[in-house]
Amino acid sequence: MTGTAAGRRVRKPGPRAAAATRLVLALTLSGAAGCDALRRSDPGLDTPSCATCRIDVTPVLQLDFTNAPFLPDLSARLALDANHETFAVLTGDSPTAFLVFDADGRLVRVVGTGGDGPGEYGRIDGLVFDATDSLWVFDGGNGRADVYGPDLERARSVSLDGLFRDVVALEDGNFAVLGGGATVEGLPYQMRLLRRSGEIVPFAPAGSDRALGGAGAIRSAGRSAVWLAAVHSYAIERWSTAGTLQLEIQRAPPWFARPDAERTARFAESIDVRPAILDVLEDAERRLWVIGGVLDPRAPDPATAAGRTDVNIDGTFDTVIEILDPESMTLVTSARFDFAPPVWLRDGLLYRFVIDMMGTPGIEIARATLFEF
């Protein structure tokens, strides 16, 4: 990112223009992405314990990148504060700055530029709002985290030890970190506890590498615990930050089976088509929501799709959302959707990369809701 982009002034639209923008977005989203239209029937889903439950995914907002100095891509990452008033966005186009959007999806600030001084970054690896709504900007390039207060004014820096692949905020005010060093058993990654002071304490599970590695999902599991999910095996574990394995979930739903050998071979050179667990989230009732990605049965042959503008990730993958009761080990309900897997934000909100009919990339915010009839 250039210095001119970092200092770019963004003119806020007036109330009338903002209202018009929200109306256009609402009409566009409601017309293009009704939940029923996106829902795909799938005989491969397990029989749920709740016969009257239903998962709906409803778009609620699209971030407006019209005045942004760079556009989002598949690698874009978002953080959202507890009041749902501020989105912090990191895109693949600029690893030394992040964008701030308000609750209406309007760009209000561009923060950061390249360098190693205050407010400068070598390579931003993640953005996380902590339990006090301070924003932590993890700068792997300079080995530190910058902490911004709820007013998004930079407050302090914290030195970091090693590289982090993923960081999640815990309810006790600390962070759980995945990645950044080998364990005594020689595992490639470990979980660590990052305290607000900057102190880092390992709590890697000894001898278990099923849910650890260069990929996988890590999420908060209450006050002082985390969920860890493997990618290509249905294995989810809950660990306390004291290093105790509290719960193991292993399942083999029909939809998680590998595609037949012919389809796998066709896609082998371009993309990994194995079913995957991509994200997990614990809701207020302590149920576990699992986002899985599975090959779309209508996915175009990669040999003939090259160069086609109507082929994107939505045409290659579907999303499966399952809700589990971890204590009873039962499946509450599940659903399959005709869009590529999104990423959880918080409080039932998720986001996904989208491309409109004009080929313009964007970020869509949606809400996942469980209804019981």
Side-chain angles (χ1 to χ4, degrees), residues 58-195:
T58 308
V60 296
L61 183 69
Q62 190 158 328
L63 302 186
D64 184 3
F65 283 83
T66 303
N67 294 319
F70 28 82
L71 294 175
D73 54 17
L74 282 168
S75 65
R77 282 168 285 176
L78 274 66
L80 175 63
D81 71 329
N83 295 320
H84 301 182
E85 294 177 347
T86 302
F87 296 94
V89 181
L90 178 66
T91 74
D93 281 347
S94 180
T96 59
F98 62 94
L99 307 175
V100 178
F101 292 81
D102 65 15
D104 292 318
R106 297 171 301 193
L107 177 67
V108 294
R109 288 180 64 182
V110 181
V111 181
T113 187
D116 58 9
E120 297 177 344
Y121 300 101
R123 186 194 66 251
I124 301 176
D125 293 326
L127 305 168
V128 181
F129 280 100
D130 68 13
T132 67
D133 263 358
S134 292
L135 177 65
W136 287 58
V137 180
F138 292 91
D139 180 7
N142 289 319
R144 72 182 188 217
D146 275 3
V147 184
Y148 289 78
D151 57 359
L152 287 182
E153 294 298 323
R154 183 176 171 277
R156 61 191 176 105
S157 291
V158 176
S159 295
L160 299 178
D161 170 24
L163 301 176
F164 298 163
R165 192 189 66 75
D166 208 352
V167 183
V168 295
L170 303 177
E171 292 179 6
D172 62 6
N174 297 315
F175 299 91
V177 176
L178 179 61
T183 67
V184 252
E185 293 79 19
L187 302 180
Y189 284 84
Q190 64 180 354
M191 291 182 290
R192 295 187 286 172
L193 183 67
L194 169 63
R195 297 196 171 101

